[in-house]
Amino acid sequence: ILWNSARECFSPLRVTHSVPALAYAITSPNGGTLLYSGDSGAGSGSAWAATKPDVLVVEVTFPEALIDSALKFGHLTPELLAGELNTFRDVQGYLPKIAAVHINPYYENEIVAGVAEIARRLSVDISLPHEGAIITVGVEREANRRTSIDVIR
């Protein structure tokens, strides 16, 4: 645990990237957890699976056509994301809601289409929030988790 207060707990997790990088699991006092992947490449799914997040905020920087660059620089394409999500599901037995961010605007249409296909194929909720998005993670009752991703413009 990096930091723990009466309000929230931050836990760092090492992820795959071209330079040393961390993901952060942020748990609120009510038990809701958000995992922010930061810059993460192929091989990060097992690190993500060290937590049980309600929401995973993950970068998807490159389209499939640039998979070699994604692998070289430690970023994800939609298909690489699918592999990491499968690793996570194999370890944890579920997939959290996902917010895909850090999308290269030059390739946005290709990446968005790829993410939509991954969401359909894996039967998982993947949103594409933009700057100004508010992600609320909470627990109404211990067994009834509530998670929403609202976009405020």
Side-chain angles (χ1 to χ4, degrees):
I1 294 176
L2 176 67
W3 181 63
N4 192 356
S5 77
R7 295 186 359 197
E8 57 274 319
C9 174
F10 291 78
S11 300
L13 305 162
R14 288 184 188 219
V15 293
T16 306
H17 191 54
S18 57
V19 297
L22 296 171
Y24 289 94
I26 305 162
T27 303
S28 68
N30 64 13
T33 299
L34 178 142
L35 177 59
Y36 176 70
S37 76
D39 286 342
S40 294
S44 296
S46 57
W48 301 343
T51 67
K52 288 188 169 268
D54 299 291
V55 175
L56 169 61
V57 179
V58 62
E59 63 99 343
V60 185
T61 305
F62 289 105
E64 298 311 320
L66 297 175
I67 192 167
D68 290 340
S69 293
L71 292 169
K72 178 180 178 181
F73 297 111
H75 291 283
L76 295 175
T77 67
E79 283 298 328
L80 290 173
L81 172 63
E84 300 312 304
L85 293 176
N86 282 327
T87 297
F88 181 96
R89 183 168 34 205
D90 289 348
V91 173
Q92 291 293 7
Y94 80 103
L95 287 174
K97 286 190 175 187
I98 299 161
V101 298
H102 199 259
I103 293 171
N104 186 322
Y106 188 76
Y107 304 107
E108 185 171 0
N109 291 339
E110 294 169 69
I111 295 169
V112 167
V115 167
E117 171 57 23
I118 297 309
R120 185 199 62 74
R121 195 168 77 220
L122 298 180
S123 300
V124 64
D125 180 14
I126 303 178
S127 67
L128 301 163
H130 293 279
E131 187 174 335
I134 296 174
I135 298 174
T136 305
V137 181
V139 178
E140 290 176 348
R141 293 189 190 103
E142 196 168 9
N144 182 19
R145 291 194 171 238
R146 173 184 52 82
T147 304
S148 66
I149 300 174
D150 305 309
V151 177
I152 307 296
R153 297 207 188 267

